[in-house]
Each structure stands twice: as C-alpha cells, then as structure tokens.
Amino acid sequence: MSALKFCPPERCHRLRLGIGFLLLLALVTGLFIQADEVSPDEHYAYMQSLRRVQQADVELNGAVLASYSDLLQNYDPLVRHMQQIRNEQTDLLRMPSLLSDTSQAKLKFLVQKLVASQREKELDVDRFQRSNAILRNSEFYFPVAAESLLQTTALRDNSEFEHFVRHLLDYAHGVKLDLADHLNDEVLRLRRMNVRTEGPLSLNQMLVHGEVIIQRRPEVNLLVERIMRSPTAALLEEATRVYTEGHEEALRIAGYYRQLLYIVSLLLIGYAIYALVRFERDRRQLTAAHLDLAEQYEALRRAEGELRLYGTVFTNAAEGMTITDAESQIVAVNPAFTAISGYQADEVVGQRTSILNSGQQGQEFYRQMWSELIGQGHWQGEIWNRRKDGGIYPEWLSIAAVRDEKGVTTHYIAVFTDISERKQSEARIHHLAHHDVLTGLPNRLLLEDRVGQAMLMARRINRPMALVFIDLDRFKNINDTLGHEVGDSLLQQAAQRCLGVLRETDTLSRQGGDEFVVVLADLEHRQDAMHITRKLLSALRQPYLLAGHELTITGSAGIALFPDDGQTTSELLRKADAAMYRAKDEGRNTLRFFSPEINTASLGELLLENDLYGALERNELLMYYQPKVNARSGELVSAEALMRWNHREQGMIPPTRFIPLAEENGLINAFGEWAIRNVCAQQRAWMDAGLRVVPVAVNISAQQFAKQDLPKMVAQALAEYGIPPQLLELELTESLLMRNSSHATTVLRTLRSMHIHVAIDDFGTGYSSLSYLKQFPVQSLKIDRSFVCEIGEHGEDVRLASAIIAMAHELDLEVIAEGVETEAQRSYLLERGCDQFQGYLFGRPQPAEELGKLLAGQPLDGAID
C-alpha cells in the first residue's frame, strides 16, 4: 500500500490493472483445474473394475455350487474367478481422484472391507476345494469298493455291513446327516470284526474312505453355506452405490466450476478489453478486438473438445443411456440402448418413455419412483421393461434430473444395465439349493417349508393333511443288474407319473435313493389320502420301458395324518416311514396308515434285540437235540443240535425270532462258535459219563462260513475237549455254498481232510445244481421238509423227493429226510431207499439230559411222538 500511495496516478492505475488482471488470471486457472477434474476414462475404468469383480463373484458362487453338486469335475473355474477378483483388487484400492475426500474415505473403507471379505471367502473356497476333492475321491471310491467287497465271501450277505453302506451312502447324498455318530459307531464295530477279504481291496481301506465321508460331508456343506452367505455381493453393491453417488457429486461440482469459469472468463475478457482500451485506446481497438476473438475461439474449442469427449462416453458406454426432456419425451439414446431394447433411435426419439413399460409394475411403483426423483433429483432400482420384440427383461436403472440455474428440471438422464444373466444365475442357484438334481423335485429343505405351510393351512381351515412316504420295492435289484443309469431313468419316470396323479396343491419330494414323500394338503376326509395313495401306487406299477427291457416295479407307502399322528414335520416323516415299513413287511405293493401298534411292535423288536446282546453272558442260550434214526432199523445214529433262547422274562423264544436278529446285528458269529464249543463240551460230558455217543450236527450260518476261519475254529474246539472229529457234523445250505463256490470248495476240502462230516441242509430249495454236487466234497444230503410234507396220508407219489434220493445214491451220498411226522411219509421214503429219518415221528428237539437217557438206553418219560 505504501508503494501505491506515492506512485503517480497513471502508474498506480496501470499497476492496479496489472494486479487485477493477474488475480483474475489466477482465478480462471483455478476454476479451469477444478472444472476439468472429472475424467470419463477414469470413471469408466473404475466402474468396469467393479462390474468385473461383481461378475466374477457371482460366477465363483455358481462354480462352487456346481462343483458341490458334481456338475463341475475340476476346480479350474474357481481358481480363474478368484484370480480375476485378486487382479481387480489393486485397481479397486486405487481411489479415483474425481471423488471428494468424504466419498473417497467411504469408498476406501468399503473396498478394504470387501478385500478382507474376499480373502476370507478365498480361504473358504480353498478349504472347500481341498475338502471337496478328498470327499469326492472317497465318495467315488466308497460305493465301488463297497460293491466289490459285497461280492466277496467275507462280506456277502453281511446285513450289518450292508446297512452301514446304505446309511453312509444316504449320508453322503445329504440325507440323514444326523447319523454321523451312529456311522462312526458302525465303523468301530466293523473294524473290531477284523474281517479279511480276498483281492486288492480290504475292509479297512473302505472304512478309511467311509470315515473321510463322515468327517468331510458336514465340513463341505458348512463351507458351501459360508461361501454362499459371504457379504462380498452386498459390499460390492454398496461400493458401487457409494462410488456412483460420489461420481454424480463430482460431476455436479465440475459443472458448477465450469459455470463459474464461463462467467469469470467473460469478466476476464471484458477486463482485458477495458485494459486495452485504456492502454491503447483507438490505436489498439483492432488489436483488442482480435484478442477478444482469439479468446472466444479458444473457449469454443475447449467446449467442443468437452462435447466430443462427452459424446464418446455417451456413444461407447456399455450401459444403455436415455436423455428425455422434462415431460419424459425421449430426446436421445445411445447405441447400447438400441442393442438392449431393440429400438432404433428414430423409433423412440419424440416418444414417451412409457413405450418401454412392461406392465410388470403397478401405478404405485411409478408414483413412488417419480416422487423420489422429483424430491431428491435421482432414483435407482430394479425395473422390468419390454423390448421391441415383446420380450420382458430386468434392468438396473439409474435416473438423474438435470436442472438449470433456477433449479427447474429441464432433462432427465437414465442409465440402465440388462441384469437378465444375473437374475438367471440367482434363479439357478436358488433352484439347486431347494430341488433334487436328478428329478427336479423339491428336496428335504423345500419339503419342510411345504409341510409347514400345509400344516398352517390345515389348522386354519380345520381340515386334515397327510404325509405319504413311498419306497420303491426291490429297486436295488434294478441298479445292481441294469446299472445306475437305468435306475435313474426309472426314478425320473416314476416322479413324472406321481406328478400326473397329484393335484396342484400337493407336493412331491424326493428324499434320496428310491424314497419319495408326498404332501397331501386340504383333504376333505382322511380316506382321501388312501384313495390318492392307491392311485400313486397304481401309476408306479405300470410297466416301464428301460434299456430295451419292460420292467414292472411296485411301491410301498405309509401314511401319517396331521394333526392326529404328529404336530411336526420330523414326527410325521418318522411315523409315515414306520407305516411304510409295515406295508413292506406285510407283502409290499400296498399302503398302511400309521397306528400306535406299529411303534409298539418296533419297540418290542428293539428291546428284544438289546436283550439278545447279553444272552451269552447271562447263559440264556440252550442247545436242544433232535434224534436222527436209521431208516431200516430205527436205531439212533446221530442227532442235530438246535439252539434255543430262554429269555429271563419272556421264557423260551423260538429261533425263528432271534436267529434273524442275530444275523442282522452280527451276533450270529459268536452264537455259531458257542454252538460248536457247546456241542463238543456236551459230547465230552457224555463220553466221561460212559454213554454211547453218536455224531451231532451243528448248523453253520452264511456269515460264520464267510467271515470266520471255520476249519481252524473247529480244530481248536475238538482239541480243547478231546473229541474225535467223527463225532461232529456240520450242516450247510446249498445257497450258502454257491455264494462263493471257490472259497466253499477250499473250506470243504480242508474239513474233509480233518474227517469232519458235512451235509447239505434244505436240499432242493436253493440252486439244486448237479454240477456243484460233484465239485463239493460233501457226504450227505438232507431233503427239505417242504418236500416231505407233500407226501400225503396214503403215500401219494412225490416224484421230486424220489428223484433226490436216487440222484444222491448215484453220487454215493447219504440221504436224510427231515420233517418226517407220519407213518405214510416214513413208508414212502423207506421204499425209495432213504438212509436216515429226522422228525417228530422219531423224537422232538429235547434238552441234552433227555437225549442222554436215549444214549444210555433208558426210555424217555412218555412215548416218543
């Protein structure tokens, strides 16, 4: 100020003009810098990076589900999508300079959170790959190994092993996941059995894979659920929203600075003209005009460049763009609009935007949209529009209002993206999560929801609802003989047949394997459930044409009613399942309603099975002996040992009840060994008492023959009690021998070398092949009692029994007829040359003390029947 105070007026005036000019120039420079901060290329690159991450995240979820459902055989897509996401993370963390500090802080926080979530998700995907690869390997190996082991002698007809395989396969397919502890217990029991199998496969190897399935299946399911619930998608949506809002804010600020730049530029030009007039006056008027034109030309050039830049963005954007006036009449559209909607620019310019209306949203939707657009100046959301060809598609739409200096809306700019593929991916993921892959029917998860809805409706309208459990009879035979592809085709056809019978309000669900569950809602009467179920069973038993074969398969059904039989889904399923098993027990191809007696009978069998475990320790097992006599002389020549169970509460239980239970739970091996040792001990006792001893036959079960070293165990028992091998006989069924003829031949030759007498029991009811009679070193045949019963009171001719006797004699085999109860039967068989008789006519099964009296030559109390 001191310098200006003492300067000449003219010089001070020039100095003030120069200072003012420099200030205006600095202001213009600052405004130019601020107005040019929004870079379309930077904005487009960042938006594309966000969309690529979003697309890769959606495809990663789809690839995980596909791999989980075995639709994807390798993990290359998972690795590729995760690599795509990692490649984009650096670009996402590089905040665009166009954003304000506040927007950058928000976006940086969201992106950092997104990166952390993606890293957690990547770790989950990596764990999923390893666990699923291990699980897939075991799930592939386990059924192959199980099927191979089931063909071995050691495990054939092992019900415990078969139950374990079936339960584990259900568990591996996501059915009955609560069986993990039970399956682990079964694994321990199978290991303790120490079974040795022939061939390269061993039970322990298969059990290792079974344990992997038990351990890995819940882990894989949990990892898939965590991956699907990852917050990455929501964070991406939020980051996109924050960036879009920041970009719009930057555009508004840049526009504001451009307006200021224009105003200041005019002031600067006026100021320059004023200065030139002052400095040059008339002589420099022409120069001042030239400078004025040069400045205007430069401003127009810059404006043209900006318009060209905006035009490039508008023309080349992947998103559809629409510009309308304040009355919603279309002013301009970009090429992406034409590509998405099918409308050319000349077809829509001048038209109202309602030309795109699909009719999917009501008037209330549009009223709310316009209310928000007018009030806030922008709106975004999902909307359904119509293409030129009439197709309806979903789009993500963002609309911004353009206002003039007075705040009056002059135009609307809409930017939209076709999200059809994303919606389809979401629909596929939802369908896979709630439906069976093979049949497309609802799975267990969706079934529980449908049952819950049906129960709510039943309560509301006070009508019954039924749950029907259907199981295809002997479906395993089709899988084993014709292959799983034929079995899958049959399941698909069965599902379609059932759907054709059911009403629209009913639900058909596949639980796994050959099990289906039907929800019958809104029944007028309880008996309607029976009528519909009969129609279902009738449809199922119609012939199927599969792989060139016409097959007929039936179904068994159990029905549980709501609210009479249960109040929850699990209770209704359990009771319908119990009723279905009752239908199978009573002949199959039928239906049964649940009744309390079913639970009572099942509980009784369960308690009986539990008591059976301690029968040996409590000394409740007994041996009864039935005499065998010489057919001609009637002399006692041998006996058969028959096991009995003297239950501490129920008394004597017949073998027809407890022997099948022992075979099912694996106790039959211990019972069989006990029987041989008990017979040897009794023989020793009779010998020590000075009685005349005769050979005693012991029945050998299929499991005992397959799993135990029978010759070794027999040799140990004979040596322990000092019994001659001629006093012990073994009876084996012909079906048992034919299961593994090579193994059977080896065992029988070993027994023969030990001088152990072997007889084929129940001859004629199994394979009845003459070739194996020459192959197997056996000494006698027992004619099954079913053939003996055919001999009537007057000794009618029974050709099959005669043929068996003649054939056996031709092969130098001794013939024993069991079940001889009448004189007519005895006479008929004696005439045909039968060697020995066994039956009530010569003696019932009796305790060892009673048989001892016969051996001592003492008569029994009362006559022998």
Side-chain angles (χ1 to χ4, degrees), residues 581-858:
Y581 276 108
R582 171 58 64 87
K584 281 188 175 293
D585 292 340
E586 296 182 3
R588 296 186 172 87
N589 190 27
T590 186
L591 62 91
R592 288 293 181 269
F593 282 91
F594 174 78
S595 63
E597 292 77 9
I598 295 177
N599 267 355
T600 302
S602 299
L603 179 60
E605 289 297 321
L606 179 61
L607 294 176
L608 188 65
E609 183 176 0
N610 288 334
D611 289 342
L612 189 59
Y613 278 101
L616 270 177
E617 290 75 6
R618 295 189 298 269
N619 295 319
E620 293 179 354
L621 293 182
L622 305 174
M623 270 299 180
Y624 274 41
Y625 298 86
Q626 187 173 25
K628 298 180 185 178
V629 301
N630 183 281
R632 298 194 178 276
S633 65
E635 179 186 1
L636 176 65
V637 293
S638 63
E640 180 179 1
L642 302 170
M643 193 179 300
R644 297 291 186 267
W645 181 17
N646 188 13
H647 193 275
R648 61 186 183 279
E649 295 177 355
Q650 301 183 33
M652 199 67 71
I653 297 178
T656 54
R657 284 191 63 190
F658 74 86
I659 291 298
L661 291 176
E663 290 177 341
E664 184 174 350
N665 58 30
L667 289 175
I668 193 64
N669 293 332
F671 285 9
E673 183 174 353
W674 173 86
I676 291 176
R677 297 177 62 84
N678 183 273
V679 167
C680 290
Q682 186 60 57
Q683 291 277 57
R684 182 73 265 171
W686 285 331
M687 292 173 66
D688 292 343
L691 301 180
R692 181 178 62 91
V693 293
V694 295
V696 176
V698 180
N699 288 285
I700 302 299
S701 71
Q703 291 188 33
Q704 185 178 11
F705 189 80
K707 295 182 178 181
Q708 292 184 327
D709 189 346
L710 187 60
K712 180 179 179 181
M713 187 264 290
V714 170
Q716 290 175 349
L718 293 174
E720 180 179 354
Y721 294 100
I723 303 299
Q726 293 81 2
L727 293 180
L728 181 65
E729 297 181 357
L730 301 180
E731 293 188 2
L732 302 90
T733 61
E734 54 183 331
S735 57
L736 180 154
L737 297 175
M738 289 302 295
R739 289 176 183 174
N740 190 334
S741 59
S742 60
H743 172 71
T745 302
T746 302
V747 173
L748 291 178
R749 287 175 179 171
T750 304
L751 291 173
R752 183 161 189 173
S753 67
M754 296 167 56
H755 304 289
I756 301 295
H757 187 98
V758 178
I760 296 180
D761 194 12
D762 300 333
F763 184 80
T765 61
Y767 291 88
S768 299
S769 171
L770 297 179
S771 61
Y772 79 82
L773 289 178
K774 295 182 178 180
Q775 174 185 348
F776 296 143
V778 297
Q779 288 78 40
S780 59
L781 302 180
K782 290 188 72 174
I783 302 176
D784 187 69
R785 65 178 63 249
S786 61
F787 300 122
V788 177
C789 291
E790 294 179 1
I791 303 173
E793 295 182 0
H794 303 290
E796 290 88 347
D797 186 34
V798 182
R799 295 182 178 178
L800 189 53
S802 301
I804 292 174
I805 295 171
M807 176 192 66
H809 286 166
E810 287 293 328
L811 296 173
D812 294 328
L813 298 176
E814 191 176 25
V815 181
I816 306 166
E818 60 180 353
V820 180
E821 300 179 358
T822 67
E823 283 292 340
Q825 294 170 349
R826 185 191 67 81
S827 299
Y828 178 87
L829 294 169
L830 181 60
E831 291 176 1
R832 268 69 182 174
C834 185
D835 300 300
Q836 292 183 27
F837 293 146
Q838 178 183 351
Y840 286 179
L841 186 63
F842 306 98
R844 294 177 178 273
Q846 53 200 262
E849 294 80 6
E850 297 299 323
L851 185 65
K853 295 179 181 181
L854 284 178
L855 295 175
Q858 300 176 8

Side-chain angles (χ1 to χ4, degrees), residues 422-459:
R422 190 182 78 186
K423 299 288 286 185
Q424 292 171 0
S425 298
E426 292 174 353
R428 285 195 297 270
I429 293 172
H430 183 273
H431 188 273
L432 286 173
H434 293 84
H435 290 79
D436 172 51
V437 176
L438 177 63
T439 61
L441 298 176
N443 59 13
R444 180 68 176 263
L445 182 63
L446 185 54
L447 173 69
E448 292 180 357
D449 179 69
R450 298 282 178 86
V451 175
Q453 294 179 14
M455 289 192 292
L456 289 176
M457 183 177 69
R459 289 192 183 99

Side-chain angles (χ1 to χ4, degrees), residues 362-376 378-380:
Q363 293 298 324
E364 182 60 29
F365 173 83
Y366 290 103
R367 279 196 295 270
Q368 184 177 357
M369 182 186 76
W370 280 106
S371 174
E372 184 176 342
L373 185 58
I374 294 173
Q376 302 180 12
H378 60 84
W379 179 90
Q380 66 176 357

